[in-house]
Coordinates of all heavy atoms in Angstrom, one line a residue:
M1 N -16.4 54.1 14.2 CA -17.1 53.9 15.5 C -16.4 52.8 16.3 O -16.3 52.9 17.5 CB -18.6 53.5 15.2 CG -19.4 53.3 16.5 SD -21.1 53.2 16.1 CE -21.4 51.5 16.5
F2 N -15.9 51.8 15.6 CA -15.3 50.7 16.4 C -13.7 50.8 16.3 O -13.1 49.9 16.7 CB -15.7 49.3 15.8 CG -17.2 49.1 16.0 CD1 -18.0 49.1 14.9 CD2 -17.6 48.8 17.2 CE1 -19.4 48.8 15.1 CE2 -19.0 48.5 17.4 CZ -19.9 48.6 16.3
T3 N -13.2 51.9 15.9 CA -11.8 52.1 15.9 C -11.3 52.5 17.2 O -12.0 53.3 17.9 CB -11.3 53.1 14.8 OG1 -12.0 54.3 15.1 CG2 -11.7 52.6 13.4
P4 N -10.1 52.1 17.7 CA -9.7 52.5 19.0 C -9.3 54.0 19.0 O -8.8 54.5 18.1 CB -8.4 51.6 19.2 CG -8.0 51.2 17.9 CD -9.2 51.2 17.0
K5 N -9.5 54.6 20.2 CA -9.2 56.0 20.4 C -7.8 56.0 21.0 O -7.6 55.7 22.1 CB -10.2 56.7 21.3 CG -11.7 56.5 20.8 CD -11.9 57.3 19.5 CE -13.3 57.3 19.2 NZ -13.8 56.4 18.2
I6 N -6.8 56.5 20.2 CA -5.5 56.5 20.7 C -5.2 57.9 21.2 O -5.5 58.9 20.5 CB -4.5 56.2 19.5 CG1 -4.8 54.8 19.0 CG2 -3.0 56.3 20.0 CD1 -4.0 54.4 17.8
P7 N -4.6 58.1 22.4 CA -4.3 59.4 22.9 C -3.3 60.1 22.1 O -2.4 59.5 21.4 CB -3.9 59.2 24.3 CG -3.4 57.8 24.4 CD -4.2 57.1 23.3
P8 N -3.2 61.4 22.1 CA -2.2 62.2 21.4 C -0.8 61.8 21.9 O -0.7 61.4 23.0 CB -2.5 63.6 21.6 CG -3.7 63.7 22.4 CD -4.2 62.3 22.7
P9 N 0.2 61.9 21.1 CA 1.6 61.5 21.5 C 2.1 62.2 22.7 O 2.9 61.6 23.4 CB 2.4 61.7 20.2 CG 1.5 61.9 19.1 CD 0.2 62.3 19.7
D10 N 1.7 63.4 22.9 CA 2.3 64.2 24.1 C 1.8 63.7 25.4 O 2.4 63.9 26.4 CB 2.1 65.7 23.9 CG 0.6 66.0 23.8 OD1 -0.2 65.1 23.5 OD2 0.3 67.2 24.1
T11 N 0.6 63.0 25.5 CA 0.1 62.5 26.8 C 0.3 61.0 27.0 O 0.1 60.5 28.1 CB -1.4 62.9 26.9 OG1 -2.1 62.2 25.8 CG2 -1.7 64.3 26.8
A12 N 0.6 60.3 25.9 CA 0.8 58.9 26.0 C 2.1 58.6 26.7 O 3.1 59.2 26.4 CB 0.7 58.2 24.7
P13 N 2.1 57.6 27.7 CA 3.4 57.3 28.4 C 4.3 56.5 27.4 O 3.8 55.8 26.6 CB 3.0 56.4 29.6 CG 1.7 55.9 29.1 CD 1.0 56.9 28.2
T14 N 5.6 56.7 27.6 CA 6.5 56.0 26.8 C 6.7 54.6 27.4 O 6.4 54.4 28.6 CB 7.9 56.7 26.7 OG1 8.4 56.8 28.1 CG2 7.8 58.1 26.1
P15 N 7.1 53.6 26.6 CA 7.1 52.2 27.1 C 8.1 52.0 28.3 O 7.9 51.2 29.1 CB 7.6 51.4 25.9 CG 7.3 52.2 24.7 CD 7.3 53.6 25.2
G16 N 9.1 52.8 28.4 CA 10.1 52.6 29.5 C 9.8 53.3 30.8 O 10.5 53.2 31.8
T17 N 8.7 54.1 30.8 CA 8.4 54.9 32.0 C 7.2 54.3 32.7 O 6.4 53.6 32.1 CB 8.2 56.4 31.7 OG1 7.0 56.4 30.8 CG2 9.4 57.0 31.1
S18 N 7.0 54.7 34.0 CA 5.9 54.2 34.8 C 5.0 55.4 35.1 O 5.5 56.5 35.2 CB 6.4 53.5 36.0 OG 5.3 53.2 36.8
L19 N 3.8 55.2 35.2 CA 2.8 56.2 35.6 C 2.9 56.5 37.1 O 2.5 57.6 37.5 CB 1.4 55.8 35.2 CG 1.1 55.7 33.7 CD1 -0.3 55.2 33.5 CD2 1.3 57.0 33.0
V20 N 3.4 55.6 37.9 CA 3.5 55.8 39.4 C 4.9 56.2 39.7 O 5.9 55.5 39.4 CB 3.1 54.5 40.1 CG1 3.2 54.7 41.6 CG2 1.8 54.0 39.7
P21 N 5.1 57.3 40.4 CA 6.5 57.7 40.7 C 7.1 56.8 41.8 O 6.3 56.3 42.7 CB 6.4 59.1 41.3 CG 4.9 59.2 41.7 CD 4.2 58.3 40.8
P22 N 8.4 56.5 41.8 CA 9.0 55.6 42.8 C 9.0 56.2 44.1 O 9.1 57.4 44.3 CB 10.4 55.3 42.3 CG 10.7 56.5 41.4 CD 9.4 57.0 40.8
L23 N 8.8 55.4 45.2 CA 8.8 55.9 46.6 C 10.3 55.9 47.0 O 10.9 54.9 47.2 CB 8.0 54.9 47.4 CG 6.5 54.8 47.1 CD1 5.9 53.8 48.0 CD2 5.9 56.2 47.3
T24 N 10.8 57.1 47.3 CA 12.2 57.2 47.8 C 12.2 58.1 49.0 O 11.3 58.9 49.2 CB 13.1 57.9 46.7 OG1 12.5 59.1 46.4 CG2 13.2 57.0 45.5
G25 N 13.1 57.8 49.9 CA 13.3 58.6 51.1 C 12.4 58.2 52.2 O 12.3 58.8 53.3
L26 N 11.6 57.1 52.1 CA 10.8 56.6 53.2 C 11.6 55.7 54.1 O 12.1 54.6 53.6 CB 9.5 55.9 52.7 CG 8.5 56.8 51.9 CD1 7.4 56.0 51.4 CD2 8.0 57.9 52.8
V27 N 11.8 56.0 55.3 CA 12.5 55.1 56.2 C 11.5 54.8 57.4 O 11.0 55.6 58.0 CB 13.7 55.8 56.8 CG1 14.4 54.9 57.8 CG2 14.6 56.2 55.7
H28 N 11.3 53.5 57.6 CA 10.4 53.0 58.7 C 11.2 52.7 59.9 O 12.3 52.1 59.9 CB 9.7 51.8 58.2 CG 8.7 52.0 57.1 ND1 7.5 52.7 57.3 CD2 8.8 51.7 55.8 CE1 6.9 52.7 56.1 NE2 7.6 52.1 55.2
P29 N 10.8 53.2 61.1 CA 11.5 52.9 62.3 C 11.2 51.4 62.7 O 10.3 50.8 62.2 CB 10.8 53.8 63.3 CG 9.5 54.1 62.8 CD 9.7 54.1 61.3
P30 N 12.1 50.8 63.5 CA 11.9 49.4 63.9 C 10.6 49.3 64.7 O 10.2 50.3 65.3 CB 13.2 49.1 64.7 CG 13.7 50.4 65.1 CD 13.3 51.4 64.0
A31 N 10.1 48.1 64.8 CA 8.8 47.9 65.5 C 9.0 48.1 67.0 O 8.1 48.7 67.7 CB 8.3 46.5 65.2
C32 N 10.2 47.7 67.5 CA 10.4 47.9 69.0 C 11.9 48.3 69.2 O 12.7 47.9 68.3 CB 10.0 46.7 69.8 SG 11.0 45.3 69.6
T33 N 12.2 48.8 70.3 CA 13.6 49.2 70.5 C 14.2 48.5 71.7 O 15.1 49.0 72.4 CB 13.7 50.8 70.8 OG1 12.8 51.1 71.9 CG2 13.3 51.5 69.5
C34 N 13.7 47.3 72.0 CA 14.2 46.6 73.2 C 15.4 45.8 73.0 O 16.0 45.2 74.0 CB 13.0 45.7 73.8 SG 12.4 44.6 72.6
H35 N 15.9 45.6 71.8 CA 17.2 44.9 71.5 C 17.2 43.5 72.0 O 18.2 43.1 72.6 CB 18.4 45.7 72.0 CG 18.4 47.1 71.5 ND1 18.6 47.5 70.2 CD2 18.2 48.3 72.2 CE1 18.6 48.8 70.1 NE2 18.3 49.3 71.3
H36 N 16.2 42.8 71.8 CA 16.2 41.4 72.2 C 16.5 40.5 71.0 O 16.4 40.9 69.9 CB 14.9 40.9 72.8 CG 13.7 41.1 71.9 ND1 13.4 40.2 71.0 CD2 12.8 42.1 71.8 CE1 12.3 40.5 70.3 NE2 11.9 41.7 70.8
T37 N 17.0 39.3 71.3 CA 17.3 38.4 70.2 C 16.0 37.6 69.8 O 15.2 37.2 70.7 CB 18.4 37.4 70.7 OG1 17.9 36.6 71.8 CG2 19.7 38.1 71.0
P38 N 15.9 37.3 68.6 CA 14.7 36.6 68.2 C 14.8 35.2 68.6 O 15.8 34.6 68.6 CB 14.6 36.7 66.7 CG 16.0 37.1 66.3 CD 16.7 37.8 67.4
T39 N 13.7 34.6 69.0 CA 13.6 33.2 69.5 C 12.9 32.4 68.4 O 12.3 32.9 67.5 CB 12.8 33.1 70.8 OG1 11.5 33.6 70.6 CG2 13.5 33.9 71.9
A40 N 13.1 31.1 68.5 CA 12.4 30.2 67.6 C 10.9 30.3 67.8 O 10.4 30.4 68.9 CB 12.9 28.8 67.8
P41 N 10.2 30.2 66.7 CA 8.7 30.2 66.9 C 8.2 29.0 67.7 O 8.8 27.9 67.6 CB 8.2 30.2 65.5 CG 9.3 29.6 64.6 CD 10.6 30.0 65.3
T42 N 7.2 29.2 68.4 CA 6.6 28.1 69.2 C 5.9 27.1 68.3 O 5.3 27.5 67.3 CB 5.6 28.7 70.2 OG1 4.6 29.4 69.5 CG2 6.3 29.6 71.2
P43 N 6.1 25.8 68.6 CA 5.5 24.9 67.7 C 4.0 24.9 67.8 O 3.4 25.1 68.9 CB 6.0 23.5 68.1 CG 6.5 23.8 69.5 CD 6.9 25.2 69.6
V44 N 3.3 24.7 66.7 CA 1.9 24.7 66.6 C 1.4 23.3 67.1 O 1.9 22.3 66.5 CB 1.4 25.1 65.2 CG1 -0.2 25.0 65.2 CG2 1.9 26.4 64.8
P45 N 0.4 23.2 68.0 CA 0.0 21.9 68.4 C -0.7 21.2 67.2 O -1.4 21.8 66.4 CB -1.0 22.2 69.5 CG -1.4 23.6 69.4 CD -0.2 24.3 68.7
A46 N -0.5 19.9 67.2 CA -1.1 19.1 66.1 C -2.6 19.1 66.2 O -3.2 19.0 67.3 CB -0.6 17.7 66.2
T47 N -3.2 19.3 65.1 CA -4.7 19.3 65.0 C -5.2 17.9 65.0 O -4.5 17.0 64.5 CB -5.2 20.0 63.8 OG1 -4.7 19.4 62.7 CG2 -4.8 21.5 63.8
P48 N -6.3 17.6 65.6 CA -6.9 16.3 65.6 C -7.2 15.9 64.2 O -7.5 16.7 63.3 CB -8.1 16.4 66.5 CG -8.5 17.8 66.5 CD -7.2 18.5 66.4
P49 N -7.3 14.6 63.9 CA -7.6 14.2 62.5 C -9.0 14.7 62.1 O -9.9 14.8 63.0 CB -7.6 12.6 62.6 CG -7.7 12.3 64.0 CD -7.1 13.5 64.8
A50 N -9.1 15.1 60.9 CA -10.4 15.6 60.4 C -11.5 14.6 60.4 O -11.2 13.5 59.9 CB -10.2 16.2 59.0
R51 N -12.6 14.9 60.9 CA -13.8 14.0 60.9 C -14.6 14.4 59.7 O -14.6 15.4 59.1 CB -14.5 14.2 62.2 CG -13.7 13.7 63.4 CD -14.3 14.1 64.7 NE -15.7 13.8 64.8 CZ -16.5 14.1 65.8 NH1 -15.9 14.6 66.9 NH2 -17.7 13.9 65.9
S52 N -15.5 13.4 59.3 CA -16.4 13.7 58.2 C -17.3 14.8 58.6 O -17.7 15.0 59.8 CB -17.2 12.4 57.9 OG -18.0 12.1 58.9
A53 N -17.8 15.5 57.6 CA -18.6 16.7 57.8 C -20.0 16.3 58.3 O -20.7 17.0 59.0 CB -18.7 17.6 56.6
V54 N -20.5 15.2 57.8 CA -21.9 14.8 58.1 C -21.8 13.4 58.9 O -21.2 12.5 58.5 CB -22.7 14.6 56.8 CG1 -24.1 14.1 57.2 CG2 -22.7 15.9 56.1
Q55 N -22.5 13.4 60.0 CA -22.5 12.2 60.8 C -24.0 11.8 60.9 O -24.8 12.6 61.4 CB -21.9 12.4 62.2 CG -20.4 12.5 62.1 CD -19.9 12.6 63.5 OE1 -20.6 12.7 64.5 NE2 -18.6 12.6 63.6
F56 N -24.3 10.6 60.5 CA -25.7 10.2 60.6 C -26.0 9.4 61.9 O -25.3 8.5 62.2 CB -26.0 9.3 59.4 CG -26.2 10.0 58.1 CD1 -25.2 9.8 57.1 CD2 -27.2 10.9 57.8 CE1 -25.3 10.5 55.9 CE2 -27.3 11.6 56.7 CZ -26.3 11.4 55.7
T57 N -27.0 9.8 62.5 CA -27.5 9.0 63.7 C -28.7 8.2 63.2 O -29.3 8.5 62.1 CB -27.9 10.0 64.8 OG1 -29.0 10.9 64.3 CG2 -26.7 10.9 65.2
P58 N -29.2 7.3 64.0 CA -30.4 6.5 63.5 C -31.6 7.4 63.3 O -32.3 7.2 62.3 CB -30.6 5.6 64.7 CG -29.3 5.4 65.3 CD -28.6 6.7 65.2
G59 N -31.8 8.4 64.1 CA -32.9 9.3 63.9 C -32.8 10.1 62.6 O -33.7 10.3 61.9
S60 N -31.5 10.6 62.3 CA -31.4 11.4 61.1 C -31.5 10.5 59.8 O -31.9 10.9 58.8 CB -30.0 12.1 61.1 OG -29.0 11.2 61.1
L61 N -31.1 9.2 60.0 CA -31.3 8.3 58.8 C -32.8 8.1 58.6 O -33.2 8.0 57.4 CB -30.6 6.9 59.1 CG -29.1 6.9 59.0 CD1 -28.5 5.6 59.4 CD2 -28.7 7.3 57.6
I62 N -33.6 8.0 59.6 CA -35.0 7.8 59.4 C -35.6 9.0 58.8 O -36.4 8.9 57.9 CB -35.7 7.4 60.8 CG1 -35.2 6.1 61.2 CG2 -37.2 7.5 60.7 CD1 -35.7 5.7 62.6
V63 N -35.2 10.2 59.2 CA -35.7 11.4 58.6 C -35.3 11.5 57.2 O -36.1 11.9 56.3 CB -35.2 12.6 59.5 CG1 -35.5 13.9 58.7 CG2 -35.8 12.6 60.8
A64 N -34.0 11.2 56.8 CA -33.6 11.2 55.5 C -34.3 10.3 54.6 O -34.7 10.6 53.5 CB -32.1 11.0 55.4
A65 N -34.6 9.1 55.1 CA -35.4 8.1 54.3 C -36.8 8.5 54.1 O -37.4 8.4 53.0 CB -35.3 6.7 55.0
A66 N -37.4 9.1 55.2 CA -38.8 9.6 55.0 C -38.8 10.8 54.0 O -39.7 10.9 53.2 CB -39.3 10.0 56.4
G67 N -37.8 11.7 54.1 CA -37.8 12.8 53.2 C -37.6 12.3 51.7 O -38.2 12.8 50.8
G68 N -36.7 11.3 51.5 CA -36.5 10.8 50.2 C -37.8 10.1 49.7 O -38.2 10.2 48.5
T69 N -38.5 9.4 50.5 CA -39.7 8.7 50.1 C -40.8 9.7 49.8 O -41.5 9.6 48.7 CB -40.2 7.8 51.3 OG1 -39.2 6.9 51.6 CG2 -41.5 7.1 50.9
A70 N -40.9 10.8 50.6 CA -41.8 11.9 50.3 C -41.5 12.5 48.9 O -42.4 12.8 48.1 CB -41.9 12.9 51.4
M71 N -40.2 12.7 48.7 CA -39.8 13.4 47.4 C -40.2 12.5 46.2 O -40.7 13.0 45.2 CB -38.3 13.6 47.4 CG -37.8 14.3 46.2 SD -38.3 16.0 46.1 CE -37.3 16.7 47.3
V72 N -39.9 11.2 46.3 CA -40.3 10.3 45.3 C -41.8 10.3 45.0 O -42.2 10.3 43.9 CB -39.7 8.9 45.6 CG1 -40.3 7.8 44.6 CG2 -38.2 8.9 45.5
L73 N -42.6 10.3 46.1 CA -44.0 10.2 45.9 C -44.5 11.5 45.3 O -45.4 11.5 44.4 CB -44.7 10.0 47.3 CG -44.5 8.6 47.9 CD1 -45.2 8.5 49.3 CD2 -45.1 7.6 47.0
V74 N -44.0 12.7 45.7 CA -44.4 13.9 45.1 C -44.1 14.0 43.6 O -44.9 14.4 42.8 CB -43.8 15.1 45.9 CG1 -44.0 16.4 45.1 CG2 -44.5 15.2 47.3
V75 N -42.8 13.6 43.3 CA -42.4 13.7 41.9 C -43.2 12.7 41.1 O -43.6 13.0 39.9 CB -40.9 13.4 41.8 CG1 -40.4 13.2 40.3 CG2 -40.1 14.6 42.4
G76 N -43.5 11.5 41.6 CA -44.3 10.5 40.9 C -45.7 11.0 40.7 O -46.2 10.8 39.6
T77 N -46.3 11.6 41.7 CA -47.6 12.2 41.5 C -47.7 13.2 40.4 O -48.6 13.2 39.6 CB -48.1 12.8 42.8 OG1 -48.0 11.7 43.8 CG2 -49.5 13.3 42.7
V78 N -46.7 14.1 40.4 CA -46.7 15.1 39.4 C -46.5 14.5 38.0 O -47.2 14.9 37.0 CB -45.5 16.1 39.7 CG1 -45.3 17.1 38.5 CG2 -45.8 16.9 40.9
L79 N -45.6 13.6 37.8 CA -45.4 12.9 36.5 C -46.6 12.2 36.1 O -47.0 12.2 34.9 CB -44.2 12.0 36.6 CG -42.8 12.7 36.7 CD1 -41.7 11.7 36.8 CD2 -42.6 13.7 35.6
V80 N -47.3 11.5 37.0 CA -48.5 10.7 36.6 C -49.6 11.7 36.2 O -50.3 11.5 35.2 CB -48.9 9.8 37.7 CG1 -50.3 9.2 37.5 CG2 -48.0 8.6 37.9
S81 N -49.7 12.8 36.9 CA -50.8 13.8 36.6 C -50.5 14.4 35.2 O -51.4 14.7 34.4 CB -50.9 14.8 37.7 OG -49.7 15.6 37.7
M82 N -49.2 14.7 34.9 CA -48.9 15.2 33.6 C -49.2 14.2 32.5 O -49.7 14.6 31.4 CB -47.4 15.6 33.6 CG -47.1 16.9 34.4 SD -45.3 17.2 34.5 CE -44.8 17.3 32.9
L83 N -48.9 12.9 32.7 CA -49.2 11.9 31.8 C -50.7 11.8 31.6 O -51.2 11.6 30.4 CB -48.6 10.5 32.2 CG -48.9 9.4 31.3 CD1 -48.2 9.6 30.0 CD2 -48.4 8.1 31.9
L84 N -51.5 11.8 32.7 CA -52.9 11.8 32.6 C -53.5 13.0 31.8 O -54.4 12.8 31.0 CB -53.5 11.7 34.0 CG -55.0 11.5 34.1 CD1 -55.5 10.2 33.4 CD2 -55.5 11.6 35.5
A85 N -53.0 14.2 32.1 CA -53.4 15.3 31.3 C -53.1 15.2 29.8 O -54.0 15.6 29.0 CB -52.7 16.6 31.9
T86 N -52.0 14.6 29.5 CA -51.6 14.4 28.1 C -52.6 13.4 27.4 O -53.1 13.6 26.3 CB -50.2 13.9 28.0 OG1 -49.3 14.9 28.6 CG2 -49.8 13.8 26.5
A87 N -52.9 12.4 28.2 CA -53.8 11.3 27.6 C -55.2 11.9 27.4 O -55.9 11.6 26.4 CB -53.9 10.1 28.6
I88 N -55.7 12.7 28.4 CA -57.1 13.3 28.3 C -57.1 14.3 27.1 O -58.1 14.3 26.3 CB -57.5 14.0 29.6 CG1 -57.7 12.9 30.7 CG2 -58.7 14.8 29.4 CD1 -57.9 13.5 32.0
T89 N -56.0 15.0 26.9 CA -56.0 16.0 25.8 C -56.0 15.3 24.5 O -56.7 15.6 23.5 CB -54.7 16.9 25.9 OG1 -54.7 17.5 27.2 CG2 -54.6 17.9 24.8
A90 N -55.2 14.2 24.4 CA -55.1 13.4 23.2 C -56.5 12.8 22.8 O -56.9 12.8 21.7 CB -54.0 12.3 23.3
A91 N -57.2 12.3 23.9 CA -58.5 11.6 23.6 C -59.5 12.7 23.2 O -60.3 12.4 22.3 CB -58.9 11.0 24.9
S92 N -59.5 13.9 23.8 CA -60.4 14.9 23.4 C -60.1 15.4 22.0 O -61.1 15.7 21.2 CB -60.4 16.1 24.4 OG -59.2 16.7 24.4
I93 N -58.9 15.5 21.6 CA -58.6 15.9 20.2 C -59.0 14.9 19.2 O -59.5 15.2 18.1 CB -57.0 16.2 20.1 CG1 -56.7 17.5 20.8 CG2 -56.6 16.3 18.6 CD1 -55.2 17.8 20.9
A94 N -58.8 13.6 19.6 CA -59.3 12.5 18.7 C -60.8 12.5 18.5 O -61.3 12.3 17.4 CB -58.8 11.2 19.3
I95 N -61.5 12.8 19.6 CA -63.0 12.8 19.5 C -63.4 14.0 18.6 O -64.3 13.9 17.8 CB -63.6 12.9 20.9 CG1 -63.4 11.6 21.6 CG2 -65.1 13.3 20.8 CD1 -63.8 11.6 23.1
C96 N -62.8 15.2 18.8 CA -63.1 16.3 18.0 C -62.8 16.1 16.5 O -63.5 16.5 15.6 CB -62.3 17.5 18.5 SG -62.8 18.2 20.0
A97 N -61.7 15.4 16.3 CA -61.3 15.0 14.9 C -62.4 14.1 14.2 O -62.8 14.3 13.1 CB -60.0 14.4 14.8
V98 N -62.9 13.1 15.0 CA -63.9 12.2 14.5 C -65.2 13.0 14.2 O -65.9 12.8 13.2 CB -64.1 11.1 15.5 CG1 -65.4 10.3 15.1 CG2 -62.9 10.2 15.5
V99 N -65.6 13.9 15.1 CA -66.8 14.7 15.0 C -66.7 15.6 13.8 O -67.6 15.7 12.9 CB -67.2 15.4 16.2 CG1 -68.3 16.4 16.0 CG2 -67.5 14.5 17.3
L100 N -65.6 16.3 13.6 CA -65.4 17.2 12.5 C -65.4 16.4 11.1 O -65.9 16.8 10.1 CB -64.1 17.9 12.6 CG -64.1 19.1 13.6 CD1 -62.7 19.7 13.7 CD2 -65.1 20.2 13.1
R101 N -64.7 15.2 11.2 CA -64.7 14.4 9.9 C -66.1 14.0 9.5 O -66.5 14.0 8.4 CB -63.8 13.2 10.2 CG -63.7 12.3 9.0 CD -62.8 11.1 9.3 NE -62.7 10.2 8.2 CZ -62.2 9.0 8.2 NH1 -61.7 8.6 9.3 NH2 -62.2 8.2 7.2
S102 N -66.9 13.6 10.5 CA -68.3 13.1 10.2 C -69.1 14.3 9.7 O -70.0 14.1 8.9 CB -68.9 12.4 11.4 OG -69.1 13.4 12.4
L103 N -68.9 15.5 10.3 CA -69.6 16.7 9.8 C -69.2 17.1 8.4 O -70.1 17.6 7.6 CB -69.4 17.8 10.8 CG -70.1 17.7 12.2 CD1 -69.8 18.9 13.1 CD2 -71.7 17.6 12.0
L104 N -68.0 17.0 8.1 CA -67.5 17.5 6.8 C -67.7 16.5 5.7 O -67.9 16.9 4.5 CB -66.0 17.8 6.9 CG -65.7 19.0 7.7 CD1 -64.2 19.2 7.8 CD2 -66.3 20.3 7.2
N105 N -67.8 15.2 6.0 CA -68.0 14.2 4.9 C -69.4 14.0 4.5 O -69.7 13.8 3.3 CB -67.4 12.8 5.4 CG -65.9 12.8 5.3 OD1 -65.3 13.5 4.6 ND2 -65.3 11.8 6.0
R106 N -70.3 14.2 5.4 CA -71.8 14.0 5.1 C -72.6 15.2 5.5 O -73.4 15.1 6.5 CB -72.3 12.7 5.8 CG -71.5 11.5 5.4 CD -72.1 10.3 6.1 NE -71.1 9.2 5.9 CZ -71.2 8.1 6.7 NH1 -72.1 8.0 7.6 NH2 -70.3 7.1 6.4
P107 N -72.5 16.2 4.8 CA -73.3 17.4 5.2 C -74.8 17.2 4.9 O -75.6 17.9 5.6 CB -72.7 18.6 4.4 CG -72.1 17.9 3.2 CD -71.7 16.6 3.7
N108 N -75.2 16.4 4.0 CA -76.6 16.2 3.6 C -77.3 15.2 4.5 O -78.6 15.0 4.4 CB -76.8 15.9 2.2 CG -76.3 17.0 1.3 OD1 -76.3 18.2 1.7 ND2 -75.9 16.7 0.1
N109 N -76.6 14.3 5.2 CA -77.2 13.2 5.9 C -77.6 13.6 7.4 O -77.9 12.7 8.1 CB -76.3 12.0 6.0 CG -76.1 11.4 4.6 OD1 -76.9 11.7 3.7 ND2 -75.0 10.7 4.4
R110 N -77.7 14.8 7.7 CA -78.1 15.2 9.1 C -79.5 15.0 9.3 O -80.5 15.3 8.9 CB -77.7 16.6 9.4 CG -76.2 16.6 9.7 CD -75.8 17.9 10.3 NE -75.0 18.6 9.3 CZ -74.8 19.9 9.2 NH1 -75.4 20.7 10.1 NH2 -74.0 20.4 8.4

């Protein structure tokens, strides 16, 4: 099942031959027939120095600071609520353990 399938020898290409026949006999005409002499390429004007991609204005700095503060408050709220949920779960499991222990240790004292 995992052995390679090798083609029969009569259809397999030999190492020295190519599957694509060579292109022969194709002659392209010149692009134009005006017989002019080539000129030097025109110089490319210098580009201005690259500026930074992000420019902060005072308004955008205030918006970024407010967004960061909001993000910190949201993440903090989520983490505190997860900690509170863990603490409540642990306290309820502890109360259940104490109640079960008291029920199992003294069944005749009810």
Side-chain angles (χ1 to χ4, degrees):
M1 182 168 112
F2 294 109
T3 58
K5 305 293 188 263
I6 300 173
D10 59 340
T11 60
T14 59
T17 61
S18 174
L19 295 176
V20 179
L23 298 175
T24 57
L26 294 178
V27 177
H28 293 285
C32 69
T33 58
C34 56
H35 304 292
H36 60 81
T37 59
T39 60
T42 58
V44 177
T47 58
R51 295 169 43 182
S52 64
V54 177
Q55 291 183 352
F56 287 112
T57 61
S60 65
L61 285 176
I62 292 173
V63 169
T69 303
M71 182 71 74
V72 167
L73 289 176
V74 168
V75 169
T77 303
V78 169
L79 291 177
V80 167
S81 64
M82 288 171 56
L83 180 65
L84 183 62
T86 304
I88 291 172
T89 304
S92 64
I93 289 174
I95 291 172
C96 289
V98 168
V99 169
L100 283 175
R101 182 179 173 192
S102 67
L103 287 176
L104 292 175
N105 281 343
R106 302 181 192 163
N108 294 335
N109 292 342
R110 280 194 249 159

